[in-house]
Amino acid sequence: MGNIRIGHYVCPFCGELDEENREFWESLKQEFFSALNPIYQILRAHHVSYEGISQVMEHIFPRGKDTILRAFTDSVEETIIPPLEVSYIVHYDEQFPKRGRSQKYRLTILDHFTAQPIADELHNKKDPDTIKEFLGRHLDHNEVTFVVTDLYSSYSGVLEDYFWE
């Protein structure tokens, strides 16, 4: 990144030994390295390994995978997460039991805190309308609810339609 020479000087007037202040350099380094943290977070969000991030960083500023791991961990720990105004946290999942030759879909909603089922039903299909009807019978769309899912591709659209946000 650069070199800086910190000099020791003797004042010609009073004869006192003086050293240049390195605070500016330390501040500049800190600012530069903290600007890299969002890059690490974005790459990790896209499932890029630390080794892969290190290879990308070879083109910007060489950093080892261990250094990146420490910086990423520190930046996550320093992240201030605003308190959520969630009144309800639930988990939604599906299983696919078979009875004989009949395929069914088991839709389940679990309470996050107690891990107890709120709803558990068998259905013949698992299309977005069936999921919305199931949610409608067991969750209030006007109540602030945090839904944990396994990120199946249709869930975001179904939940957005049901909760409007």
Side-chain angles (χ1 to χ4, degrees):
M1 188 164 141
N3 292 326
I4 186 169
R5 299 186 91 188
I6 305 295
H8 298 282
Y9 301 100
V10 177
C11 178
F13 301 109
C14 66
E16 196 171 309
L17 183 64
D18 195 16
E19 181 179 280
E20 288 182 323
N21 188 349
R22 65 180 80 203
E23 224 174 87
F24 169 76
W25 179 248
E26 294 299 327
S27 173
L28 187 63
K29 281 190 340 186
Q30 176 63 28
E31 195 173 315
F32 175 74
F33 291 131
S34 65
L36 295 177
N37 290 337
I39 295 171
Y40 303 153
Q41 290 177 359
I42 290 168
L43 291 171
R44 286 298 297 153
H46 289 281
H47 308 292
V48 177
S49 68
Y50 293 109
E51 181 68 33
I53 296 172
S54 178
Q55 290 175 5
V56 168
M57 291 307 296
E58 289 294 324
H59 300 284
I60 300 171
F61 184 82
R63 305 280 280 182
K65 65 180 182 177
D66 295 330
T67 304
I68 292 169
L69 171 64
R70 280 191 303 276
F72 175 76
T73 304
D74 292 344
S75 72
V76 169
E77 289 175 0
E78 291 172 1
T79 302
I80 298 170
I81 301 172
L84 295 174
E85 294 179 17
V86 174
S87 58
Y88 210 43
I89 300 175
V90 297
H91 297 260
Y92 172 79
D93 199 12
E94 300 153 352
Q95 294 80 39
F96 310 101
K98 286 186 180 182
R99 176 177 271 169
R101 300 181 138 220
S102 175
Q103 172 74 51
K104 296 285 186 179
Y105 299 95
R106 180 180 176 194
L107 309 182
T108 306
I109 300 174
L110 299 173
D111 182 86
H112 170 74
F113 298 104
T114 64
Q116 297 297 314
I118 295 170
D120 192 15
E121 298 177 358
L122 284 176
H123 292 271
N124 291 324
K125 56 185 177 176
K126 180 190 90 158
D127 63 345
D129 291 330
T130 303
I131 296 171
K132 277 192 264 186
E133 289 173 16
F134 173 71
L135 293 174
R137 284 193 301 278
H138 303 288
L139 296 177
D140 181 5
H141 71 271
N142 294 317
E143 188 175 335
V144 177
T145 306
F146 186 85
V147 182
V148 180
T149 69
D150 59 7
L151 299 177
Y152 182 69
S153 59
S154 69
Y155 291 164
S156 62
V158 169
L159 294 172
E160 195 171 305
D161 288 346
Y162 182 71
F163 288 106
W164 302 323
E165 289 184 22

